[in-house]
Structure formats: structure tokens, C-alpha cells
């Protein structure tokens, strides 16, 4: 099983006055957003946030907000694709007032009408190397063993039992049927790859637009009448698989999933403004005829595939430390860096360290085919 519990803070967002400049420093804003939230609830700004405001000559987060430009949403244009802000489950956040209007280029220009004001609704994508009637191979699936895209007893690709989606209602998690691919029962969901039940029975109903992976599956539909996805206060996705060799399991906004599922506006209209990748089964796109590094499955996690002004992440150690010549974050390493001031990662102002995966690092799961893992 691979279980992901993503808890969202979506309040008091800020970003750059210039949407393009925002991409350069939006990750710093994460600290500011958290601190502002804490400040409004009896907390105080952390040193990194105070240092940032000082450098900008600002005396408060409100002063910063006053200098930023908000995009202008076009409700009529977005409504056919956006999920329903109200939930059928009591205790779940209504997202009507949680529109994101700061800090991403897709909120402006031709895509602005559709993307500006997107709300915190998220859902899963499963990607595999399985060929289909539309696509036979892809960049992520090149130079892999033939068994990854074969059929029958020699198949060594993703062997999935089911994928389940849950919404937290303030007291417990409730399964979302329209976002769950498996055999649903009164007890929950089940499936067996070996018996051809669950995922194998229902995956065709979740077929999504492929491209970089040969086959993709996701919950998507017609805006308000389609899947709502997971929203605050929390959500959870569970992937049950016998083997997940050379597969990907990641999350996108429900708005993006709906747009890509329909593909009505083309690639430039999919509002790709947030993504988190808990499991990626191949490490990037490799040149032709080059093999994957090592002899084990290269599963890795990264949370910086696409970040927005409303949900940025701190990608570099220098950003987390407020661009100062003083190591303070993460606090778990303070003592070590005090004792080893020149050790790798302890002087990000000399040599920066990328934390969040991507092309320069990752949190890896290295397993052989058919070897279970959690």
C-alpha cells in the first residue's frame, strides 16, 4: 500500500506583483503564509519572514499584500470545468471563498479566465507504460525492459488492486465513490490484480489524457457534476498494488484533471499550476539507448513538479534559511551543523542544497520487481 495524507493550509496567500517574477521567489512566500496564519491566530512571525519583510522595506504582511496584483477570475468561463465548492459530506470545507488569485503565470493572459481563482480540490493520477489503442510508447517508458509493456505472465509493470480516495470530515475519513477505482462494497473497496477484479474492472472508466506516460488514469468529469476531489480539512489516497514497478502515482488539481480529460482547450488551457509526485517509477526522460541508473526500480518522490503562489514549497535550503548566512532550518540539523559548520548542507549560502526532489535529488524507494513495500 502507498498511503498519502495531504493536509492543506490555504489561507492568506501572497505572491509577487509580477506573475512572472513570482516564479523566482514564490517558495519564500510559504514561510510568510504560514507565519501570517500563525500571527492571525495568536502566533508571531518567524525570523525568516521578518528578514524578508525587512529586506523589502515592509512593516507587515498586510503591507506586502497591498503591493501585490490579484488576477481577475472569469466565473462563466471556469464554471463548466471547476468542481462543486460545496460538499455532500457534513464537516467538509466549502471552498467558495478559497479562490487562489496570486502568484502563477497561468492566472493571466489567455489562460487567466479559466485558471484564475482555482480552488483547493485535488485528486490522483495513475500512470503506467501499458500500451493502448491511442499510444504505444512514451518518454518515461523508453529504454525500459520489454516486460514493462508486455502482456501475459511475463508482464512486469504496475499490478494494481485498487485506488481509493477519502475525504476527511473533521472526525473521520469518508470514501469518495466517484474518485475510487475498485470493487466497492458495504465494507469499502477491494480488488485483486491476479483475479482481474477491482482496478482491472474499472480502470477503463478513469482513462485520462496520456502523453509523457503511455497510459494515464484519473477521476475527472463535467465540472460541478463531476468528481469533487479532496479538499480541506484533509484528504487521503490509497494505492493497493501487488507490484508498482515502473508506474507513477501523483496528484493534480481537480480543475486540471477535468480540463485535460476534456482536452477542449488544448495543452495551454489545462491550468497546470500545482502538482505533487509521491511515487514516480522512472527517473526522468533519458536519452535514446541509455539505461536507468542502478539495477533496481527507481521509485522517487518529489513535491516541486509544479508549485503555485497559494501552495508553494521551499525547494532550496537557502530559501528556508531566509537567504541569511546563518543555519537555522530545519531545526533537526542545527546541533549537527553547529558541530560541523562546513559539512554538506550546513552552508547553503556557499553551496545550496535542493530538498524537494526533482532533477537534483529525491526521497527514493528502491525495490526489486514484485517486492512488497509500504
Amino acid at each position: 500500500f502507498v498511503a498519502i495524507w495531504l493536509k492543506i493550509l490555504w489561507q492568506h496567500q501572497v505572491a509577487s506583483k509580477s506573475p512572472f517574477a513570482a516564479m523566482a521567489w514564490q517558495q519564500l512566500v510559504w514561510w510568510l503564509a504560514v507565519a501570517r496564519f500563525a500571527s492571525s491566530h495568536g502566533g508571531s512571525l518567524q525570523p525568516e519572514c521578518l528578514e524578508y519583510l525587512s529586506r523589502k522595506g515592509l512593516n507587515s504582511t498586510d503591507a506586502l499584500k497591498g503591493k501585490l496584483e490579484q488576477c481577475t477570475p472569469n466565473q462563466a468561463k471556469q464554471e463548466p470545468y471547476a468542481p462543486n465548492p460545496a460538499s455532500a459530506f457534513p464537516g467538509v470545507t466549502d471552498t467558495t471563498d478559497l479562490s487562489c488569485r496570486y502568484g502563477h503565470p497561468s492566472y493571466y493572459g489567455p489562460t487567466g479566465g479559466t485558471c484564475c481563482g482555482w480552488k483547493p480540490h485535488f485528486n490522483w493520477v495513475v500512470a503506467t507504460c501499458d500500451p493502448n489503442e491511442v499510444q504505444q510508447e512514451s518518454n518515461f517508458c523508453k529504454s525500459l525492459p520489454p516486460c514493462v509493456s508486455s502482456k501475459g505472465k511475463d508482464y512486469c509493470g504496475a499490478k494494481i488492486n485498487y485506488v481509493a480516495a477519502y475525504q476527511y470530515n473533521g472526525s473521520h475519513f469518508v470514501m469518495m465513490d466517484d474518485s475510487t477505482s475498485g470493487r466497492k462494497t458495504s465494507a469499502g473497496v477491494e480488488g485483486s490484480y491476479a483475479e482481474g477484479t477491482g482496478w482491472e474492472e474499472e480502470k477503463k472508466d478513469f482513462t485520462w489524457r496520456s502523453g509523457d506516460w503511455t497510459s494515464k488514469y484519473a477521476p475527472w468529469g463535467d465540472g460541478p457534476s463531476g468528481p469533487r476531489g479532496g479538499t480541506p480539512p484533509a484528504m487521503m489516497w490509497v494505492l493497493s498494488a501487488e507490484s508498482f514497478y515502473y508506474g507513477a502515482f501523483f496528484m493534480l488539481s481537480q480543475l486540471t484533471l477535468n480540463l485535460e480529460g476534456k482536452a477542449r482547450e488544448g495543452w495551454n488551457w489545462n491550468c497546470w499550476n500545482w502538482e505533487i509526485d509521491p511515487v514516480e517509477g522512472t527517473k526522468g526522460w533519458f536519452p535514446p539507448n541509455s539505461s536507468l541508473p542502478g539495477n533496481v526500480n527507481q521509485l522517487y518522490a518529489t513535491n516541486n513538479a509544479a508549485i503555485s503562489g497559494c501552495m508553494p514549497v521551499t525547494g532550496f535550503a537557502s530559501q528556508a534559511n531566509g537567504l541569511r548566512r546563518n543555519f537555522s532550518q530545519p531545526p533537526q540539523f542545527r546541533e549537527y551543523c553547529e558541530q560541523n559548520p562546513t559539512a554538506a548542507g550546513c552552508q547553503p549560502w556557499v553551496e545550496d542544497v535542493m530538498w524537494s526532489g526533482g532533477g537534483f535529488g529525491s526521497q527514493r524507494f528502491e525495490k526489486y520487481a514484485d517486492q512488497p513495500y509500504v
Side-chain angles (χ1 to χ4, degrees), residues 3-335:
I4 308 299
W5 180 4
L6 176 63
K7 198 167 185 177
I8 294 178
L9 172 65
W10 186 280
Q11 209 165 5
H12 304 296
Q13 299 93 347
V14 291
S16 173
K17 183 174 182 180
S18 164
F20 299 100
M23 299 298 288
W25 62 271
Q26 62 181 331
Q27 297 173 43
L28 276 173
V29 179
W30 169 251
W31 294 97
L32 183 59
V34 173
R36 180 187 169 108
F37 181 83
S39 179
S40 64
H41 291 75
S44 60
L45 291 176
Q46 297 298 306
E48 291 76 15
C49 299
L50 293 172
E51 176 72 14
Y52 177 81
L53 291 175
S54 176
R55 287 188 177 212
K56 294 293 182 179
L58 302 170
N59 58 13
S60 69
T61 53
D62 286 328
L64 174 60
K65 181 179 179 181
K67 291 181 175 293
L68 304 180
E69 179 182 351
Q70 287 186 331
C71 63
T72 302
N74 185 329
Q75 187 172 356
K77 196 167 185 178
Q78 188 182 97
E79 189 171 3
Y81 312 106
N84 190 344
S87 173
F89 301 140
V92 177
T93 303
D94 186 310
T95 64
T96 300
D97 298 327
L98 298 182
S99 296
C100 183
R101 298 175 62 188
Y102 294 99
H104 199 279
S106 69
Y107 303 166
Y108 302 85
T111 61
T114 306
C115 301
C116 174
W118 72 287
K119 298 176 175 62
H121 295 243
F122 307 97
N123 232 323
W124 56 266
V125 178
V126 165
T128 72
C129 294
D130 299 344
N132 55 68
E133 62 275 11
V134 177
Q135 192 169 338
Q136 298 298 308
E137 63 176 17
S138 58
N139 281 306
F140 271 115
C141 298
K142 288 180 179 177
S143 303
L144 297 182
C147 61
V148 173
S149 55
S150 68
K151 295 182 179 179
K153 64 178 182 179
D154 294 330
Y155 177 70
C156 65
K159 300 176 182 178
I160 302 171
N161 299 319
Y162 63 80
V163 178
Y166 299 88
Q167 172 66 59
Y168 188 65
N169 65 5
S171 62
H172 59 279
F173 284 96
V174 182
M175 191 172 78
M176 297 182 285
D177 287 358
D178 58 5
S179 297
T180 295
S181 180
R183 182 173 288 183
K184 303 171 188 69
T185 70
S186 58
V189 60
E190 62 185 23
S192 168
Y193 174 82
E195 298 175 4
T197 62
W199 171 263
E200 288 298 308
E201 293 173 312
E202 294 201 359
K203 66 181 182 181
K204 63 181 183 300
D205 298 329
F206 291 83
T207 301
W208 195 57
R209 188 181 184 187
S210 58
D212 52 351
W213 287 84
T214 310
S215 291
K216 288 183 180 180
Y217 308 89
W220 63 275
D222 293 320
S225 63
R228 184 174 184 269
T231 67
M235 65 213 73
M236 178 171 65
W237 296 280
V238 176
L239 168 68
S240 171
E242 297 302 315
S243 175
F244 203 57
Y245 219 58
Y246 302 120
F249 186 47
F250 59 99
M251 286 77 206
L252 297 171
S253 75
Q254 189 66 60
L255 176 61
T256 294
L257 294 176
N258 293 346
L259 286 166
E260 277 289 89
K262 293 175 179 293
R264 288 179 178 172
E265 322 299 339
W267 182 259
N268 291 330
W269 290 80
N270 74 350
C271 298
W272 187 65
N273 46 33
W274 182 86
E275 177 181 340
I276 185 169
D277 299 342
V279 180
E280 287 278 15
T282 60
K283 192 158 188 326
W285 298 7
F286 288 85
N289 303 318
S290 65
S291 60
L292 287 170
N295 62 351
V296 294
N297 188 21
Q298 304 294 314
L299 288 175
Y300 72 97
T302 172
N303 63 356
N304 67 350
I307 52 181
S308 77
C310 296
M311 292 186 68
V313 297
T314 303
F316 288 90
S318 60
Q319 296 170 329
N321 287 279
L323 303 180
R324 297 175 299 165
R325 298 178 63 86
N326 176 44
F327 185 92
S328 61
Q329 300 293 332
Q332 294 90 335
F333 290 94
R334 287 176 188 168
E335 182 178 355

